[in-house]
Amino acid sequence: MSIPRNWRTRQQRYSLKAEVCNTCNKHIFPPRDVCPHCAAEKQSWTNLSGQGEVFSYTTMYNAPAGFEEYAPYTMALVKLAEGPMVTAQLTDVDAQDVKIGMPVEMVTRKLSQEGEEGQILYGYKFRPMLREAA
Amino acid sequence: MLKPAHDVGIVGYGAYVPRFRLPASEVARVWTDGTGGLPIKEKAVAGLDEDTLTMSVEAARNALARAQIDVTQIRAVWVGSESHPYAVKPTSTIVAEAIGAAPFTQAADLEFACKAGSEAIVMGMGIVGSQMGRYVLAIGMDTAQGRPGDALEYTAASGGAAFIVGPAEESVAVYEAALSHVTDTPDFWRRAYSHYPSHGHRFTGEPAYFEHVVSAGQELMQELGTQPSDYKYVVLHQPNTKFPQRAAQILGFQPEQLKTGLLVPVIGNTYAGSSLIGLTAVLDEAQPGDRILMVSFGSGAGSDAFSIRVTDKLNEVRDRAPRTQDYIARRKLIDYATYVRYRHKLQMN
């Protein structure tokens, strides 16, 4: 990703900064100009709780460029408590312990880095609820 | 003694300890054929996607969950660490952005070896105590480096804590006073571009750790007119298990007063986070009226001592975020090879 794109999306990546549609009241993530539910153009900023559950998942053994360091890792579709579905990496969990319907919470982690000299990209991942993992 | 014009305290606190644990016996197995004593049981190790920034964000979120303040009223975000992800580009601005405190806030990264976190707290006391700002977020966090095979590799760990310093009337614990004691003492250092720190071996004890921790603690109690029996708890910087035990004994404290905040046996030395995360474990258990003496230590060298009194509000906020022991209980043991991978000790290119 380029520097301007990283910069533009920093708040949604760090903390799931989202929108609520002023017309249909549904949550929108990632933020966009037109509501995907009712096509209205006016939205308000909101913060999501960061809680959700695993809708589906797969474990990556052949990682795309920039993510090789983390392989093997599990990617999931996470259904957020407020409604939106996001694709994100799971962390702090072993692949064999992931289950569909597993409650997860958002954490901000390192997504990738551009070599030893480039920028470090941070963003959301999901992990099992901390108190249940302890 | 440092005492602000207006009383200040801790409005919220939060800890973070990563999931992985490296037993000290693993380090001994690889480097000493399993011989020799072990300074701790195991240390916390950051995962591949963790660093001082990610851990700071989670600790800050825990502190905010307890404080329940308007995050835009935070006037400074200070992160003390000796393992900032960038040499040039602040960790603190990313923390501020991630928690929603940006843009109208002060932000800076602090460095004073293991004392950088408590330094941030003292500075926060100044901002809040002078009423320049309502809240300050002070963080001590590290992914500590230890040279492979060195004595420090047994203990150099990852973790730390965040504190929101604010007005005393909103606080779960009030700072009665602080005192700093610094000298030019070359006990431990890391030069620019060096991966690993160097240290003065036995010199790190008497002229460094003990001189500063004991002097700062004694001087603060003397100026406040308090004595060890006035405190329910004492929390000291903990580079290993023995040093804080001995320093507490010299200061006149009983093992029972040290026990709750002594986390080094099970998480290791989290450097800038060490005494701060010990304090979070104490706040998880302390009751209104309890007094706490906390003394940090940073090589180079210096100590910050704090006298803290718990208020009635602590019991209300405690369970709004995970307790420090929740993080300690969440653990996955790793072997030395996995540790080498996670801490990037193999040069791949």
Side-chain angles (χ1 to χ4, degrees):
Chain A
M1 287 212 287
S2 66
I3 288 175
R5 185 176 164 200
N6 291 340
W7 175 74
R8 267 199 313 275
T9 57
R10 67 195 186 282
Q11 290 184 331
Q12 54 182 274
R13 278 188 292 106
Y14 295 162
S15 54
L16 291 177
K17 184 110 178 171
E19 291 171 318
V20 172
C21 175
N22 290 350
T23 304
C24 70
N25 289 322
K26 288 189 173 160
H27 285 81
I28 303 165
F29 187 87
R32 65 199 77 178
D33 292 337
V34 174
C35 174
H37 308 289
C38 72
E41 291 187 12
K42 297 282 186 190
Q43 291 102 35
S44 305
W45 288 108
T46 188
N47 290 311
L48 300 173
S49 65
Q51 298 193 348
E53 62 177 48
V54 172
F55 181 80
S56 190
Y57 65 93
T58 189
T59 300
M60 307 284 290
Y61 293 92
N62 292 306
F67 298 89
E68 301 96 330
E69 182 189 350
Y70 305 104
Y73 58 85
T74 300
M75 294 296 296
L77 288 169
V78 173
K79 178 83 171 161
L80 297 172
E82 293 84 356
M85 184 93 77
V86 297
T87 305
Q89 193 175 323
L90 300 183
T91 189
D92 288 355
V93 64
D94 297 333
Q96 66 271 20
D97 294 332
V98 180
K99 303 273 186 297
I100 288 173
M102 184 171 81
V104 290
E105 60 190 352
M106 188 274 283
V107 290
T108 305
R109 294 290 173 90
K110 235 161 76 171
L111 298 181
S112 62
Q113 59 183 3
E114 297 169 345
E116 288 298 306
E117 296 187 359
Q119 65 174 334
I120 305 167
L121 192 67
Y122 297 97
Y124 56 81
K125 294 186 182 182
F126 289 82
R127 70 165 178 217
M129 304 294 284
L130 180 88
R131 280 179 170 165
E132 290 172 22
Chain B
M1 189 166 68
L2 301 164
K3 196 159 169 44
H6 300 272
D7 289 341
V8 306
I10 299 164
V11 175
Y13 68 95
Y16 185 75
V17 181
R19 175 180 176 230
F20 301 105
R21 300 286 181 279
L22 178 69
S25 58
E26 267 294 286
V27 181
R29 178 180 70 81
V30 172
W31 292 105
T32 69
D33 202 20
T35 60
L38 303 176
I40 59 170
K41 178 180 170 235
E42 60 195 27
K43 69 173 184 176
V45 178
L48 281 167
D49 61 358
E50 295 185 292
D51 61 18
T52 290
L53 177 276
T54 67
M55 301 193 300
S56 294
V57 168
E58 181 153 344
R61 286 181 177 144
N62 287 334
L64 281 167
R66 289 197 170 97
Q68 295 194 351
I69 58 166
D70 175 2
V71 73
T72 64
Q73 293 298 307
I74 292 176
R75 285 290 163 268
V77 176
W78 287 320
V79 183
S81 180
E82 53 183 87
S83 46
H84 290 289
Y86 289 91
V88 178
K89 184 182 185 303
T91 307
S92 50
T93 54
I94 311 176
V95 174
E97 195 84 63
I99 63 168
F104 297 111
T105 183
Q106 236 274 323
D109 293 359
L110 307 181
E111 190 277 327
F112 190 146
C114 299
K115 189 172 94 72
S118 62
E119 196 78 48
I121 292 175
V122 175
M123 290 165 60
M125 291 171 68
I127 290 273
V128 178
S130 64
Q131 298 189 330
M132 273 177 67
R134 190 159 189 87
Y135 305 110
V136 168
L137 174 60
I139 298 172
M141 193 68 67
D142 255 309
T143 53
Q145 313 90 358
R147 192 186 304 278
D150 186 77
L152 291 179
E153 194 177 39
Y154 290 88
T155 54
S158 303
F163 291 85
I164 295 169
V165 180
E169 60 271 20
E170 298 177 35
S171 296
V172 302
V174 172
Y175 286 109
E176 297 179 309
L179 182 140
S180 295
H181 174 103
V182 302
T183 67
D184 173 11
T185 304
D187 57 319
F188 169 103
W189 62 88
R190 180 162 61 85
R191 297 279 298 276
Y193 309 112
S194 296
H195 283 295
Y196 301 116
S198 303
H199 57 88
H201 300 277
R202 286 173 180 269
F203 190 75
T204 59
E206 291 301 335
Y209 180 86
F210 292 104
E211 161 62 21
H212 295 81
V213 169
V214 172
S215 298
Q218 281 175 341
E219 184 66 21
L220 179 63
M221 286 192 284
Q222 187 179 330
E223 294 198 25
L224 277 173
T226 58
Q227 49 193 351
S229 59
D230 294 328
Y231 295 92
K232 178 82 181 287
Y233 303 98
V234 61
V235 182
L236 306 178
H237 175 59
Q238 31 206 281
N240 52 45
T241 310
K242 282 183 183 168
F243 275 26
Q245 285 175 333
R246 192 166 147 229
Q249 188 181 22
I250 295 168
L251 280 164
F253 289 91
Q254 300 299 313
E256 198 62 27
Q257 293 166 286
L258 183 71
K259 193 176 69 176
T260 307
L262 189 65
L263 305 181
V264 65
V266 288
I267 65 168
N269 177 8
T270 56
Y271 283 41
S274 178
S275 54
L276 274 65
I277 195 169
L279 179 59
T280 67
V282 166
L283 291 173
D284 281 344
E285 293 195 8
Q287 291 302 313
D290 286 347
R291 280 170 120 176
I292 304 160
L293 182 78
M294 173 183 141
V295 189
S296 67
F297 172 74
S299 291
S303 283
D304 299 319
F306 303 85
S307 183
I308 303 163
R309 186 191 290 275
V310 174
T311 75
D312 295 341
K313 290 193 167 60
L314 180 58
N315 288 333
E316 292 170 30
V317 311
R318 183 175 285 138
D319 287 321
R320 290 176 184 166
R323 295 188 186 203
T324 305
Q325 289 295 345
D326 291 335
Y327 282 104
I328 293 173
R330 179 191 70 145
R331 60 193 270 281
K332 180 178 180 184
L333 289 175
I334 56 173
D335 60 11
Y336 192 86
T338 307
Y339 164 75
V340 164
R341 182 186 173 200
Y342 284 2
R343 298 315 305 146
H344 305 287
K345 290 178 187 291
L346 281 176
Q347 193 69 37
M348 303 290 279
N349 296 305

